[in-house]
Amino acid sequence: MSEEDHRTQQACNEATFTVLLSPTHRGVRLARLLAVAHLDAWGLPSEAAAHIVAELAANASTHGRVRGRDFQLSLYVREKTLRIEVTDTRGDSVPPGPGAVKAPEDDGAENGRGMLIVEALADHWGIAPGPVPRKTVWAEIDLVR
């Protein structure tokens, strides 16, 4: 049994963390750092989750940004699933849903791959509208594989 498997088995069955962050580069970086710190404290693997948090927070900061309004990062552990939620206040700006994400046509494009990363790393993900004017993009990772 690897050390990571052992840590996952010892992890708590339920945990929750929620924070409001500014839709800035600093807020995106802080979202990733806080997620990794909490997952490590809970004894859970954090690599895939860190990438997912970074992409969802970056999207909230870039596409979901409304002046004067923060985005929310929430982490939930329930039994053997980690759920990551990022909520912003631009319910009118919705990314393509699961299965509809396409790679940018220009191979040299510097952006446009965030949801592809989420789709590749998450076991399940989706978009939940509302309450108006919000939307939540969520991703789940099975902790026992």
Side-chain angles (χ1 to χ4, degrees), residues 111-136:
N111 52 27
R113 292 178 181 78
M115 295 311 294
L116 286 172
I117 292 169
V118 171
E119 193 159 68
L121 295 175
D123 292 299
H124 310 281
W125 74 278
I127 304 157
V132 173
R134 292 172 274 203
K135 73 168 172 305
T136 299

Side-chain angles (χ1 to χ4, degrees), residues 83-95:
R83 183 177 175 103
I84 300 162
E85 294 182 353
V86 174
T87 302
D88 65 50
T89 53
R90 284 285 311 272
D92 61 326
S93 176
V94 180

Side-chain angles (χ1 to χ4, degrees), residues 17-39 49-50 52-58 61 70-75 86:
F17 170 73
T18 300
V19 64
L20 289 174
L21 298 161
S22 65
T24 62
H25 293 295
R26 180 179 238 163
V28 171
R29 183 172 182 269
L30 187 55
R32 186 177 198 276
L33 291 171
L34 288 169
V36 168
H38 278 82
L39 293 171
I52 291 170
V53 167
E55 295 302 334
L56 296 182
S61 176
D70 295 333
F71 72 91
Q72 179 176 291
L73 166 67
S74 298
L75 305 174
V86 174

